[in-house]
Amino acid sequence: MIKVENLCKSFKTKKKYPGFKGAIKSFFSKEYIIKKAVDDISFNIKDGEIVGYIGANGAGKSTTIKMMTGIMTPSSGSVIVDGIIPYENREKNAKDIGVVFGQRTQLWWDLPLSETFSLLKDIYEVSDKDYEERMSFFYETLELKDFLLSPVRTLSLGQRMRADLAAALIHNPKIIYLDEPTIGLDVVVKENVRKAIKRINEIYGTTIILTTHDLNDIEELCKRIIIIDNGKKLYDGSLEDIKNKYGYMTTLEIQIKKQFDLSKINLNKILKLNTEDLNFIKEDMKLVVNFNKNKVSSSDIMFHIMKEHRVIDFLVKETSVEDIIKRIYRNEV
């Protein structure tokens, strides 16, 4: 469906000098700085996949998406979307894709929402039968009926995001690019938007590329993620693999009834593990155990602790995807 090969995008900007004299010098200077926003990125996305495309601010996410949607032309490398080069055939590409930007809207500000949908129906040449079928689906999935006759400017952020999602899908595109689709939404609306995206993918087989800083969106929707930083691809694989590869350290908090002596807990010797794979901290009546889940299980640890101590309660905390990605950005893995 989408094939990206050795994609690069560079921007040339005038070199700036400090101070007033520097500003004058910059005005007449012919020196330039070349900034590589996207640096030799390659990946393939299959038909019907939901892929999270994530990175810090300035990592090159938006630039990549703009080249995939045909807005920008690469400095080198290539993008092929459903058999066409998007920046060479923008009109054909635009008919096959949908785009939702969390901070911007494609809706007509002063028109009732129903009129916006009617206009988009004519622009994309959607038949009456297809339009009725899709609108019926949107009414059910996105719950649009309550504000269908309201001018767009009167809609809440949550209502507008649901309307934008419907507008991007009204022509049943093969691919949809979602840029921060849940930004600024409350938890209930976020959950509804996520459910709608899942159903759209399941029913229509729409390929979805999701860029977001909300990693709950990624965990809820994506089985595969691509991580980029400073224009370079750092990781491309499944969420499960990244958890197994980088999130193997797990925390076990054990509440013990009586005071205990930390020095008398000899699990490292019993389980034959070094302190990198198994270590302890005492917090009042609580024992906090950090362990490598690939080398020992929480049940094994609990078995040996309960032999010697009366356990009141315990809690297992997996390393979150957010923590893993932070470590990747900081080159700690």
Side-chain angles (χ1 to χ4, degrees), residues 128-140:
D128 291 341
K129 181 184 175 184
D130 288 343
Y131 178 74
E132 287 173 15
E133 179 192 317
R134 280 165 212 160
M135 290 310 298
S136 176
F137 173 76
F138 296 146
Y139 292 155
E140 177 194 347

Side-chain angles (χ1 to χ4, degrees), residues 307-323:
K307 272 184 175 181
E308 305 294 333
H309 303 280
R310 176 89 178 272
V311 173
I312 300 171
D313 200 2
F314 69 94
L315 176 67
V316 180
K317 292 181 180 177
E318 297 277 348
T319 303
S320 69
V321 172
E322 186 171 358
D323 288 335

Side-chain angles (χ1 to χ4, degrees), residues 20-197:
F20 179 73
K21 287 183 179 179
I24 300 297
K25 184 180 178 182
S26 298
F27 185 77
F28 293 101
S29 173
K30 292 186 178 179
E31 291 185 77
Y32 290 90
I33 296 170
I34 304 297
K35 164 70 176 173
K36 263 196 173 181
V38 175
D39 189 1
D40 196 28
I41 286 178
S42 299
F43 56 81
N44 293 325
I45 295 175
K46 295 177 184 176
D47 191 13
E49 271 195 287
I50 304 180
V51 178
Y53 194 61
I54 60 178
N57 290 331
K61 302 188 304 296
S62 296
T63 304
T64 311
I65 296 298
K66 284 174 183 175
M67 288 186 280
M68 291 164 71
T69 54
I71 296 170
M72 280 185 179
T73 302
S75 301
S76 62
S78 66
V79 179
I80 298 174
V81 178
D82 196 30
I84 67 167
I85 299 171
Y87 39 87
E88 290 183 358
N89 198 339
R90 289 186 170 93
E91 186 176 343
K92 172 72 169 68
N93 184 64
K95 288 182 178 179
D96 290 335
I97 67 170
V99 182
V100 175
F101 293 105
Q103 299 283 25
R104 295 177 292 279
T105 183
Q106 60 184 308
L107 307 173
W108 278 267
W109 199 242
D110 290 312
L111 290 181
L113 187 58
S114 57
E115 290 297 316
T116 291
F117 290 149
S118 295
L119 282 168
L120 288 169
K121 170 184 177 291
D122 293 337
I123 290 169
Y124 286 110
E125 299 174 344
V126 180
S127 69
D128 291 341
K129 181 184 175 184
D130 288 343
Y131 178 74
E132 287 173 15
E133 179 192 317
R134 280 165 212 160
M135 290 310 298
S136 176
F137 173 76
F138 296 146
Y139 292 155
E140 177 194 347
T141 309
L142 296 167
E143 300 176 355
L144 302 178
K145 275 193 173 179
D146 290 344
F147 50 91
L148 195 63
L149 300 178
S150 303
V152 170
R153 58 184 163 75
T154 66
L155 302 183
S156 69
L157 180 59
Q159 290 171 333
R160 184 178 64 74
M161 282 306 305
R162 282 182 279 156
D164 262 314
L165 191 55
L169 291 159
I170 208 162
H171 57 299
N172 194 20
K174 297 175 182 177
I175 303 161
I176 183 164
Y177 300 92
L178 302 177
D179 184 14
E180 300 283 0
T182 63
I183 190 169
L185 305 183
D186 65 49
V187 289
V188 175
V189 177
K190 275 187 181 185
E191 186 59 29
N192 289 337
V193 169
R194 288 171 188 154
K195 284 179 181 175
I197 293 168

Side-chain angles (χ1 to χ4, degrees), residues 221-236:
L221 297 169
C222 307
K223 290 183 179 177
R224 175 186 170 196
I225 58 171
I226 299 170
I227 302 173
I228 69 164
D229 194 36
N230 292 320
K232 290 183 176 292
K233 185 175 75 174
L234 300 183
Y235 177 84
D236 181 358

Side-chain angles (χ1 to χ4, degrees), residues 256-273:
I256 295 174
K257 188 170 184 179
K258 294 181 181 179
Q259 283 290 348
F260 59 94
D261 186 350
L262 189 62
S263 64
K264 291 183 178 179
I265 296 176
N266 299 313
L267 278 187
N268 291 86
K269 187 176 180 180
I270 295 167
L271 296 169
K272 298 178 182 178
L273 294 172

